[in-house]
Amino acid sequence: AKESGRNQLQFYEAAMHSRIAERTMIEAELRHALARDQLRLHYQPKVDLRTGAVVGMEALLRWQHPTLGMVSPARFIGVAEETGLIVEIGRWVTRTACFQNMAWQQAGLTPLRVAVNVSARQFRDPGLRREVQAALSDSGLDPRYLELELTESLVMHNVDGAVAVVKELKRMGIALSIDDFGTGYSSLAYLKLFPVDYLKIDQSFVREMLTEPKVAAIVRSVIALGQSLGFKVIAEGVETEAQLAYLRRHQCDDMQGYLFSKPLPADGFGELLRSERGL
Ligand code: C2E
Ligand code: CA
Ligand code: CA
Ligand code: CA
């Protein structure tokens, strides 16, 4: 038993060292990712469940590294956040999304809203509003075609401060949504203070709602609650026809998920819009 305890300890140490090594490497490489043009945005459609039409898209960051390959956001967003690199990367994301969206509009495609994820560090950055404003005016994009996704845990962390920032952003004319809804702690009393447009039901609920009756009850409640507070409700991570049918039956507004489309590179997304594939 003693022997296996030691082996296990060595195993943990080795695992920890490789985690630290990976982190250090990612941190070092991420510092150059922007300058070396290794970052891209992919776009995933958001679809109106009633009409089946694409009504918007979420921009998702992709990092193509020459030797590490495609590094997923799960591996580098946290590092970017801790090192503060997310502020610069986030600025690039917002600008790129605005310019790309403007390019699609200028190419004659139906104007749609592009959503950008905002991390905690960016949200607390006093320059956020100015940078969003600059991205809009430099690209020429109408503010109503930009949406910021703020996670529930982010806005519920310091409610007074967050409400003030959300109100400022809202005054700029952009759309706002609360992402990963249901995974954090939300007080209904606080929720009504946020002038947001959308609640995004987290994909963990969508994944379990057809097998766990209690999860289904949560999903139905979030749809009803969100709509009664004046929000639109979108479900993310929709992968099956059965999930789609359930969400439709319970009058969820919009959906996003692999069933309709994975996140696509900009040219692929443009193709999808041109072909106007409906649900
Ligand atoms: P998120 O904002 O909750 O984004 C949704 C994630 O679910 C994305 O993962 C998306 O590719 C994935 N997804 C979409 N449909 C499905 C589906 O049907 N099934 C499953 N299993 N997954 C689906 P991704 O692109 O790996 O991003 C992970 C997270 O990284 C995002 O979660 C977001 O928190 C963060 N992230 C991505 N891009 C950015 C960014 O530009 N800025 C910031 N701050 N965070 C970002
Ligand atoms: Ca999101
Ligand atoms: Ca989400
Ligand atoms: Ca998430």
Side-chain angles (χ1 to χ4, degrees):
K2 205 171 164 190
E3 186 56 24
S4 89
R6 184 156 52 227
N7 283 341
Q8 211 156 47
L9 185 64
Q10 282 168 349
F11 173 77
Y12 283 134
E13 283 179 344
M16 199 159 76
H17 282 303
S18 71
R19 258 206 310 279
I20 293 171
E22 167 175 294
R23 224 205 91 100
T24 308
M25 179 174 60
I26 286 191
E27 183 177 331
E29 291 300 305
L30 196 55
R31 291 190 185 283
H32 306 291
L34 262 180
R36 293 178 184 162
D37 194 30
Q38 294 166 356
L39 299 182
R40 293 288 179 274
L41 290 182
H42 282 192
Y43 299 86
Q44 187 178 38
K46 299 187 181 191
V47 181
D48 184 317
L49 281 169
R50 210 170 38 79
T51 65
V54 176
V55 289
M57 57 267 187
E58 177 175 6
L60 292 154
L61 199 49
R62 296 290 177 263
W63 180 15
Q64 181 63 56
H65 186 276
T67 55
L68 299 174
M70 192 68 123
V71 189
S72 91
R75 279 173 73 199
F76 73 86
I77 294 286
V79 177
E81 174 87 3
E82 286 160 35
T83 54
L85 285 168
I86 193 71
V87 173
E88 194 188 341
I89 293 175
R91 189 183 308 135
W92 177 87
V93 168
T94 307
R95 294 186 69 84
T96 305
C98 287
F99 276 89
Q100 179 61 65
N101 201 17
M102 194 61 193
W104 281 321
Q105 293 189 11
Q106 282 169 341
L109 296 170
T110 311
L112 299 175
R113 190 148 58 209
V114 67
V116 163
N117 290 285
V118 174
S119 75
R121 185 87 166 235
Q122 278 176 280
F123 188 71
R124 285 197 303 266
D125 186 74
L128 176 69
R129 209 178 64 105
R130 194 183 56 237
E131 281 163 12
V132 170
Q133 191 56 65
L136 289 168
S137 39
D138 294 350
S139 64
L141 188 72
D142 187 312
R144 69 169 180 274
Y145 296 121
L146 177 64
E147 170 182 345
L148 299 186
E149 296 194 0
L150 314 169
T151 63
E152 177 185 38
S153 49
L154 184 153
V155 297
M156 292 297 163
H157 179 64
N158 161 12
V159 173
D160 291 345
V163 167
V165 177
V166 165
K167 283 187 171 160
E168 275 191 34
L169 293 167
K170 195 64 207 164
R171 269 199 294 275
M172 294 169 58
I174 63 180
L176 291 155
S177 51
I178 298 186
D179 200 359
D180 299 350
F181 190 76
T183 57
Y185 168 82
S186 246
S187 154
L188 302 187
Y190 292 153
L191 194 57
K192 74 171 196 298
L193 299 175
F194 287 98
V196 300
D197 305 275
Y198 290 93
L199 293 186
K200 291 193 83 171
I201 301 180
D202 190 69
Q203 51 184 276
S204 57
F205 296 99
V206 174
R207 197 180 308 128
E208 291 176 359
M209 69 184 179
L210 297 182
T211 50
E212 304 283 340
K214 286 181 178 170
V215 175
I218 294 173
V219 168
R220 293 194 307 272
S221 316
V222 171
I223 295 170
L225 165 82
Q227 291 172 345
S228 69
L229 289 173
F231 308 129
K232 281 190 152 194
V233 180
I234 175 166
E236 65 179 3
V238 178
E239 294 183 351
T240 69
E241 292 288 349
Q243 291 166 342
L244 177 74
Y246 190 84
L247 292 163
R248 261 198 180 128
R249 184 145 33 100
H250 294 285
Q251 271 134 51
C252 187
D253 296 288
D254 298 342
M255 71 76 96
Q256 191 182 341
Y258 295 167
L259 177 66
F260 187 78
S261 171
K262 292 203 167 192
L264 300 169
D267 49 357
F269 191 84
E271 281 309 307
L272 180 141
L273 289 186
R274 264 180 280 274
S275 69
E276 288 192 45
R277 182 158 67 90
L279 252 187

